[in-house]
Amino acid sequence: MNLSEGEQFGLSRMLMDRLRARGLTQFTSAQASALGAGLCKGVNLLVCAPTSSGKPLIAELAAAEGARKGDKTVYLVSHRALAEEKYHLFKNEYASTSEKWLDVSIATGDRNEGNWATGILVATYEKYLAMVCASGHVSMAGVVVVADEIQILGDDDRRPEIELLCALLRSGSPRQVVALSATV
């Protein structure tokens, strides 16, 4: 699918221009399928696709479009190093330009930066669970949740915390949940 066709699936012109500036001209079949299934229209999705099929861009589109529309967005990752990588991507692409789109925050076991009143919060699963539990209430209404590497639900050492977070998210009525995995 050509990048320009994304608009018919709810992809904003602003985001298409940003992707074009990075040299993107085509979507992979996985990305086209996610767009066709309602990725940019608030539809909950579980994206199961092999490595190198374009899942990182699917996650980026969900997070950036959600935040662009004014929804608080949380981008959940499995490891601190991945959180740093995604934080720098969003910070460089969407928060440090002259036409700043949104605020970007990070929360890991090692680092907390930003306020997350709006925009995107990149966080590890466990850190976000701690934030939700420490807040004294679970208010996920209107939040876009991007859950990368959701297959960590199968990790015996991490399963209880991830299952609890998923249950809290589900009961909190988020605006959209997009979960991604290569192995589920």
Side-chain angles (χ1 to χ4, degrees), residues 14-89:
M14 293 170 61
L15 189 50
M16 285 192 301
D17 290 345
R18 180 64 52 145
L19 297 174
R20 235 181 244 108
R22 287 171 30 196
L24 184 71
T25 59
Q26 296 278 329
F27 290 113
T28 66
S29 61
Q31 294 161 349
S33 293
L35 286 166
L39 177 71
C40 295
K41 295 182 178 180
V43 175
N44 295 329
L45 296 175
L46 172 60
V47 178
C48 299
T51 301
S52 299
S53 61
K55 290 184 303 295
L57 184 62
I58 293 169
E60 180 182 341
L61 296 176
E65 281 293 345
R68 186 194 65 77
K69 292 174 183 171
D71 294 321
K72 287 176 73 172
T73 301
V74 61
Y75 192 117
L76 299 171
V77 296
S78 56
H79 296 87
R80 291 181 295 224
L82 187 54
E84 287 290 336
E85 179 184 316
K86 296 303 176 182
Y87 171 74
H88 289 291
L89 168 85

Side-chain angles (χ1 to χ4, degrees), residues 93-114:
E93 283 297 321
Y94 303 104
S96 66
T97 63
S98 59
E99 73 272 359
K100 181 180 172 181
W101 283 26
L102 47 93
D103 294 319
V104 180
S105 304
I106 187 169
T108 66
D110 295 338
R111 179 174 175 205
N112 292 316
E113 185 175 315

Side-chain angles (χ1 to χ4, degrees), residues 4 22 31 34-35 43-44 49 54 59 103 137 146 149 161 164 167 184:
S4 58
R22 287 171 30 196
Q31 294 161 349
L35 286 166
V43 175
N44 295 329
D103 294 319
H137 68 286
V146 178
E149 306 288 344
E161 290 85 5
L164 176 58
V184 170

